[in-house]
Amino acid sequence: MITLGIETSCDETAVAVFDTSRGLIGESVFSQIDMHAEYGGVVPELASRDHCLKILSVLEDSLGGINISEIDQVAYTAGPGLLGALLVGESFAHGLSAGLGIPSIPIHHLEAHLMAPALDFDDISFPFISLLVSGGHSLIIDVRGLGDYEILGESQDDAVGEAFDKVGKLLNLPYPGGPHIERIAKEGDPSKFNYPRPMLNSDDLNLSFSGLKTAVLYSIRDLDNLDEHIADIAASFQQAAIEVLVSKIKKALIKTNRDTLILAGGVAANMLLRDEMNKLEDEYGIKVRYPEMKHCTDNAAMIAYLGSLKSVDLSKQGISCARPRWPLDEV
Ligand code: KG4
Ligand code: ZN
């Protein structure tokens, strides 16, 4: 069975094709990052418009040699995400569904991230802990099986990637700040600025990053020459943010006794985060895995794959509508 996946929840226009017998046979992603960089963040209306402009050519690039008539069903991100952006993918999916006479399947974006590791590894089995850290999410989730997820902890305010981006802005770095902070931090001393580790000692697994960002703001205000300290600030901020993530993941492993940890989301590209999590392999006797970067960040392969696990009969298909807010436990 061949599933076409469509992802337009934020600033990536992505389409992919997954065949249950052959695996992933084609995928294409267009990132709008350069367009939004000018504004220092994603501008929702520009995102929707650009999805409209790009989606057809991204589809053509994704087909991997098959004819569109060979597709058996179309899966698309129905939420959570930016409403206008989601509606582009949904309308496109409904158009294909009506035109080709095939079912369309609404997919929860976060659920797709949780299942994405199966695209790159065949040694992963349920249950596992997922740390999903991106510009929009910071979640620690116990993944027990398909459709069986427990959010163990989440950010009470900014997502960790969002904090990297806001600190990047304070340091006059280009958007998104995360990769630039990591690069600059290599030259800095992580103990130079003693930033707070929010919620480090709270018993729960929740996270908070807005106080850390504000602490960076205050420390910058006191400086005469920001450029002289920029590397130390970046290194100290990065150290604080990652220390909190590592500490909460340790608590999650102890609480659940799981033996596999999966990292996902754009922040999973961060080498300090990866190195620190890798250390847990020996310390806790667990497996730590991060899917290929293209399957950690927003992509349609994960949407097509999850769609392939959720086939529906055309005659039983209901009407769905994009949901900008969609709690994971309502999947
Ligand atoms: O998953 P993603 O590509 O998009 C969504 O947010 O949905 O994640 C983007 C986020 C941005 O906040 C970016 O700054 C952060 O991931 N990021 C990083 C690194 N690379 C990307 N944060 C820290 N270190 C990195 N190397
Ligand atoms: Zn995402």
Side-chain angles (χ1 to χ4, degrees):
M1 187 189 51
I2 298 183
T3 306
L4 183 87
I6 296 173
E7 157 62 36
T8 62
S9 65
C10 189
D11 59 345
E12 262 92 31
T13 315
V15 184
V17 182
F18 185 86
D19 182 349
T20 4
S21 49
R22 288 189 288 163
L24 191 61
I25 53 181
E27 66 179 315
S28 177
V29 182
F30 177 82
S31 171
Q32 303 175 350
I33 213 157
D34 292 342
M35 179 178 73
H36 298 296
E38 201 181 319
Y39 305 93
V42 176
V43 183
E45 296 221 349
L46 295 182
S48 316
R49 194 183 314 190
D50 210 56
H51 286 312
C52 288
L53 290 172
K54 301 290 172 8
I55 197 158
L56 205 51
S57 62
V58 173
L59 166 72
E60 282 162 1
D61 286 348
S62 75
L63 288 174
I66 65 153
N67 190 292
I68 192 133
S69 61
E70 293 175 63
I71 291 164
D72 298 303
Q73 54 179 21
V74 50
Y76 65 95
T77 304
L82 302 170
L83 180 60
L86 290 167
L87 285 170
V88 177
E90 180 167 75
S91 307
F92 195 73
H94 285 172
L96 285 173
S97 162
L100 298 168
I102 56 174
S104 66
I105 305 169
I107 295 291
H108 191 292
H109 180 83
L110 296 182
E111 185 180 21
H113 271 301
L114 296 183
M115 293 299 145
L119 288 165
D120 297 322
F121 304 107
D122 42 26
D123 67 338
I124 290 177
S125 53
F126 298 123
F128 57 83
I129 298 290
S130 178
L131 174 66
L132 179 49
V133 274
S134 69
H137 317 285
S138 301
L139 293 160
I140 299 172
I141 303 171
D142 188 25
V143 182
R144 297 172 185 148
L146 181 64
D148 187 2
Y149 319 113
E150 186 188 353
I151 297 181
L152 301 173
E154 62 190 313
S155 179
Q156 306 298 292
D157 40 59
D158 291 353
V160 62
E162 190 179 353
F164 269 90
D165 297 339
K166 287 179 175 169
V167 168
K169 223 173 196 175
L170 294 173
L171 300 179
N172 303 317
L173 298 171
Y175 174 83
H180 297 282
I181 288 181
E182 180 176 16
R183 179 175 48 80
I184 287 172
K186 290 195 181 100
E187 315 294 321
D189 175 357
S191 61
K192 207 62 176 235
F193 288 81
N194 187 20
Y195 292 133
R197 272 70 170 150
M199 299 185 78
L200 187 71
N201 296 317
S202 69
D203 284 337
D204 58 29
L205 297 174
N206 287 327
L207 303 154
S208 162
F209 294 98
S210 107
L212 172 57
K213 169 206 67 193
T214 308
V216 175
L217 170 70
Y218 289 155
S219 69
I220 288 174
R221 276 193 194 157
D222 298 337
L223 296 173
D224 293 332
N225 185 345
L226 174 60
D227 287 345
E228 263 176 33
H229 302 282
I230 201 164
D232 292 335
I233 295 171
S236 304
F237 160 77
Q238 178 177 254
Q239 184 70 31
I242 284 169
E243 248 179 68
V244 177
L245 291 173
V246 172
S247 150
K248 295 288 174 163
I249 283 296
K250 284 182 176 176
K251 283 186 186 161
L253 292 170
I254 291 167
K255 183 178 163 149
T256 59
N257 217 11
R258 300 295 182 227
D259 63 3
T260 306
L261 169 66
I262 311 273
L263 308 183
V267 183
N270 186 284
M271 286 313 293
L272 181 64
L273 178 72
R274 288 181 172 210
D275 290 347
E276 291 300 318
M277 293 297 179
N278 278 338
K279 289 183 192 161
L280 303 182
E281 289 209 321
D282 290 338
E283 203 176 325
Y284 287 82
I286 60 163
K287 255 188 319 203
V288 177
R289 297 281 183 274
Y290 10 83
E292 266 186 62
M293 213 44 227
K294 65 178 179 182
H295 296 146
C296 272
T297 56
D298 287 352
N299 67 87
M302 65 182 189
I303 307 299
Y305 172 67
L306 184 55
S308 76
L309 305 179
K310 294 195 169 204
S311 327
V312 290
D313 195 287
L314 189 56
S315 61
K316 298 201 183 99
Q317 190 179 337
I319 294 175
S320 73
C321 191
R323 298 174 64 175
R325 288 177 192 282
W326 186 1
L328 189 59
D329 52 15
E330 288 178 19
V331 191

